[in-house]
Amino acid sequence: MIDARSLTRDFVVSRSQTVHAVRGISLRIEPGELVALLGPNGAGKTTTMRMLTTLIAPTSGTATVAGHDVVREPGKVRRHIGYVGQGNGAGHTQRARDELRTQGAIYGLDRRAARRRADDLLDGLDLADLADRKVSALSGGQRRRLDVAMGLVHAPSLLFLDEPSTGLDPQNRANLWEHILRMRAEAAMTVVLTTHYLDEADSMAERVVIVDHGEIIADDSAAALKAKLAGDRIVVTVAGDDARPLARLVDRLPGARDLVCAGSRVEAHVADGPAALPELLRAAIEADVRVGTAQAHQPTLDDVFLTLTGRSLREAEQETPTAQDSPQDSQTRKDVP
Amino acid sequence: MTTIGATAPSPTPVAARTRTGPLGLLRDVGIVLTRELRPLRHDPFSVVFGMVQPLVFLGLFGPLLVGSLGGQAGTAFGAGGVWQWFVPAILVMTALFGTSATGANLLFEFQTGAHERMLVTPLSRPSLLVGRALKEMVPLAGQAVIIVLVMIPFGFRLYPVGALLGLALLAVFGVGLGALSYSLAIAVRKQDWMFWVVQQTLIFPLMLLSGMLLPLETGPGWMRVASQVNPLAYLVDAERALFAGEIGSMTVLWGWVAALVTAAVGLTVGVRAMARSAD
């Protein structure tokens, strides 16, 4: 569905300064996949997506999307892809239903088919009661659902979502995702999204591509990334002030590594945190070591990012010079300086 | 709940969109034009908002003209009196203020994301500009008709054929100026406040150097020279001639040249700008 090879994109900010937003991204996405591009603001996610959707041309490299080259045949790519950008696709002075019909006409539906398709989508995305409302009068969540509806008018086989749930409250996010996943299941759609929400990438995507400084630094399922790159961690303390006897027990746990013993505290990576704790406690009782506290931490994608880059995703957001750091402002082009 | 996938005419829309070339372009222009006209159709009253400035000049400047210069009717103002001289100029002013501001609509769609949405569709890039520019004719014609109808009771004499040709001339000019306004919007999209700075800086000199408000014959020589390179001056003269029932004179011809050149330049510049508007 997507075959990108060594894509790069530079932005010339001034005569002396060029920003290398994307520095060589190669990515293959098969039909039916649900892939999240995850990374801090300014990592190059949106720039990559804008190249794949023909909005901007790559500085170098090639990409085939839905069977067509993005530079040589942008028109054909556009015909086959759906796209929901960071902003609102519907014009604020337009009415919801009209915008859907216009999209239908653009993709070649006749008047009647466009009307029927608009009505189906309005029903499907719970917008039927708002069909004749002006877009400016819709709430953020309603507008976002309309954006998704507009991206689906021509039933594309490939849908791009650029930060689909930025600025939505948790309830609206969940609601939006429910719709997206249902549409995907019904139409066997390939979905590619960018996000800087860890939990969104973790829970929704079947494959997570982590992007940092314009490059892909990891690419796998969330579970595999976490197991491979972060792993479960346990933190235990002893009642006294010498944790060394406990550390010896921890060291015998399956998959134990990176053990740190400091004062009364022992910290280590293990293969399976929740299973390791009871085993450790049993061993501690047998060895007459008194355990004070015990915790098992299961890794998040943030731990994965930390392992890969040495900084957490949140720190990365703050250091980015171009980051606007306002998730509410969905109109900010986050990857373009 | 409806099952979207089942009812989705999945391969149909893609297959149906096969027309390319001039016919495809025409179709795309039609789609963009229809979309642009929708807010106007839902809210026809909005036509009036675009003509506040001309109405102010008509209501507050017109009477002053009549009072202070009315006695000269038959000399500088021609045979029809001050209104016959001033109303056609007000129509051009409507075009000037209304269509030069229309780029702000596009700027707004840049900010919200609606323009980006259009750019990822298969619509041809030129149609995004041409459809928008053509739309300018509709509110402009509506505004012109309102002004003419309002002024008839005040003694404005209507020559129907000339007036219709005058509206057509105005529409052509409006398409050109609208296209230039969109071009400006595209050029300043990353510093959008620049749009109004440039627009305001340009329209007032253009207006004063067109002889719209006061006859340039009474001004110094350099102003008359400057007005010779102002397309608006030719347009104002042509509109005055047309609304006086004079259809085939050289003045009218020069008005058409000015309007057509404005339209050609505007559309060329605009289409080029539109092609780069995604960057």
Side-chain angles (χ1 to χ4, degrees):
Chain A
M1 196 49 87
I2 295 177
D3 186 8
R5 294 186 185 184
S6 316
L7 283 182
T8 70
R9 172 71 198 204
D10 298 340
F11 290 102
V12 179
V13 184
S14 63
R15 207 172 301 169
S16 58
Q17 197 193 359
T18 301
V19 173
H20 306 286
V22 173
R23 303 160 182 255
I25 280 190
S26 296
L27 184 63
R28 256 191 91 84
I29 294 176
E30 302 300 327
E33 283 196 273
L34 199 173
V35 182
L37 301 180
L38 173 72
N41 286 338
K45 312 180 294 284
T46 294
T47 305
T48 302
M49 186 171 274
R50 289 170 70 78
M51 286 192 277
L52 294 177
T53 53
T54 76
L55 280 169
I56 53 175
T59 303
S60 70
T62 59
T64 309
V65 174
H68 300 280
D69 187 278
V70 290
V71 175
R72 269 177 291 134
E73 299 180 303
K76 285 185 178 157
V77 173
R78 288 177 198 140
R79 240 173 268 180
H80 290 90
I81 61 167
Y83 171 74
V84 179
Q86 284 180 12
N88 286 126
H92 282 220
T93 56
Q94 303 279 344
R95 295 181 179 189
R97 190 200 309 274
D98 290 342
E99 280 295 69
L100 287 172
R101 287 186 184 174
T102 298
Q103 292 294 318
I106 290 172
Y107 289 99
L109 297 180
D110 63 37
R111 195 180 290 247
R112 199 201 282 145
R115 196 183 312 146
R116 205 177 47 220
R117 182 68 180 150
D119 290 343
D120 284 350
L121 285 164
L122 288 167
D123 282 340
L125 286 154
D126 287 339
L127 290 166
D129 297 338
L130 308 164
D132 293 319
R133 249 203 237 161
K134 255 181 150 180
V135 172
S136 56
L138 299 179
S139 74
Q142 292 163 346
R143 245 179 252 168
R144 215 61 190 124
R145 295 209 298 278
L146 180 59
D147 292 336
V148 172
M150 287 176 70
L152 292 172
V153 163
H154 54 304
S157 50
L158 170 60
L159 179 67
F160 289 96
L161 302 160
D162 196 0
E163 312 244 339
S165 59
T166 296
L168 296 185
D169 58 44
Q171 201 179 340
N172 273 313
R173 275 172 73 183
N175 176 269
L176 183 76
W177 269 106
E178 199 180 295
H179 286 300
I180 294 171
L181 292 177
R182 187 168 45 77
M183 303 270 174
R184 174 187 175 232
E186 284 169 5
M189 214 162 38
T190 311
V191 179
V192 180
L193 68 127
T194 69
T195 183
H196 58 173
Y197 290 140
L198 293 159
D199 53 334
E200 191 165 84
D202 200 343
S203 58
M204 299 302 169
E206 291 157 0
R207 178 176 159 197
V208 178
V209 175
I210 302 182
V211 182
D212 191 38
H213 295 313
E215 284 170 316
I216 294 176
I217 53 173
D219 179 357
D220 211 327
S221 72
L225 285 174
K226 286 188 284 192
K228 222 168 22 185
L229 291 164
D232 290 15
R233 205 159 47 89
I234 58 168
V235 179
V236 282
T237 59
V238 289
D241 50 355
D242 184 10
R244 275 172 299 180
L246 184 62
R248 278 191 289 277
L249 299 176
V250 171
D251 202 30
R252 276 182 231 146
L253 292 168
R257 61 190 162 89
D258 303 338
L259 190 139
V260 179
C261 178
S264 63
R265 184 183 151 100
V266 182
E267 204 181 320
H269 281 288
V270 294
D272 183 348
L277 278 187
E279 199 178 316
L280 177 68
L281 293 179
R282 210 162 30 239
I285 291 166
E286 276 170 22
D288 208 20
V289 175
R290 284 188 60 202
V291 175
T293 63
Q295 288 169 35
H297 296 280
Q298 289 194 290
T300 63
L301 286 176
D302 203 17
D303 297 322
V304 172
F305 193 79
L306 185 68
T307 309
L308 287 167
T309 66
R311 63 211 208 287
S312 81
L313 204 57
R314 198 167 302 116
E315 289 165 358
E317 300 261 275
Q318 278 155 6
E319 87 194 15
T320 312
T322 53
Q324 312 286 322
D325 208 18
S326 56
Q328 287 79 19
D329 184 3
S330 60
Q331 285 146 23
T332 314
R333 291 267 166 284
K334 298 203 175 62
D335 287 359
V336 181
Chain B
M1 194 150 297
T2 334
T3 46
I4 298 293
T7 53
S10 180
T12 333
V14 175
R17 215 203 130 75
T18 47
R19 225 180 298 165
T20 48
L23 265 182
L25 179 64
L26 209 63
R27 197 194 73 119
D28 288 354
V29 168
I31 291 172
V32 175
L33 177 62
T34 313
R35 175 175 182 270
E36 288 296 311
L37 285 175
R38 277 208 183 98
L40 206 63
R41 204 179 62 198
H42 292 313
D43 188 10
F45 191 70
S46 66
V47 165
V48 181
F49 295 134
M51 52 195 291
V52 171
Q53 227 120 10
L55 284 178
V56 166
F57 274 97
L58 198 63
L60 299 181
F61 190 80
L64 290 178
L65 259 186
V66 174
S68 58
L69 300 166
Q72 295 177 21
T75 56
F77 295 115
V82 174
W83 287 126
Q84 213 64 30
W85 183 86
F86 194 50
V87 170
I90 285 294
L91 299 183
V92 178
M93 190 192 285
T94 310
L96 182 65
F97 280 91
T99 58
S100 70
T102 193
N105 298 323
L106 179 59
L107 266 184
F108 187 52
E109 298 218 321
F110 268 112
Q111 286 154 12
T112 63
H115 183 64
E116 188 184 75
R117 162 80 246 163
M118 298 302 249
L119 289 175
V120 286
T121 67
L123 281 178
S124 74
R125 297 289 193 259
S127 73
L128 292 173
L129 189 279
V130 179
R132 279 177 177 275
L134 288 180
K135 163 247 168 185
E136 290 309 312
M137 295 200 282
V138 178
L140 192 52
Q143 290 163 348
V145 168
I146 293 173
I147 289 172
V148 168
L149 290 180
V150 165
M151 292 316 291
I152 285 177
F154 293 92
F156 182 65
R157 255 191 85 188
L158 193 64
Y159 299 87
V161 179
L164 278 177
L165 286 170
L167 284 187
L169 179 62
L170 204 59
V172 172
F173 176 75
V175 169
L177 191 59
L180 288 171
S181 179
Y182 288 124
S183 313
L184 175 60
I186 294 168
V188 302
R189 65 192 179 281
K190 279 163 194 163
Q191 307 93 6
D192 48 10
W193 52 272
M194 278 285 285
F195 179 80
W196 294 114
V197 174
V198 176
Q199 192 252 10
Q200 295 289 315
T201 308
L202 288 179
I203 58 172
F204 283 99
L206 277 175
M207 178 172 80
L208 292 168
L209 287 174
S210 71
M212 204 182 273
L213 298 176
L214 290 165
L216 284 169
E217 285 77 4
T218 58
W222 66 265
M223 279 187 95
R224 268 171 282 153
V225 173
S227 78
Q228 276 168 10
V229 291
N230 181 4
L232 212 56
Y234 295 94
L235 193 75
V236 169
D237 287 345
E239 290 292 350
R240 284 185 177 135
L242 283 167
F243 275 88
E246 180 188 321
I247 291 165
S249 67
M250 277 309 280
T251 311
V252 173
L253 186 68
W254 277 112
W256 279 106
V257 171
L260 287 168
V261 167
T262 307
V265 171
L267 291 174
T268 310
V269 172
V271 164
R272 286 200 186 158
M274 187 58 86
R276 292 189 306 265
S277 66
D279 283 355

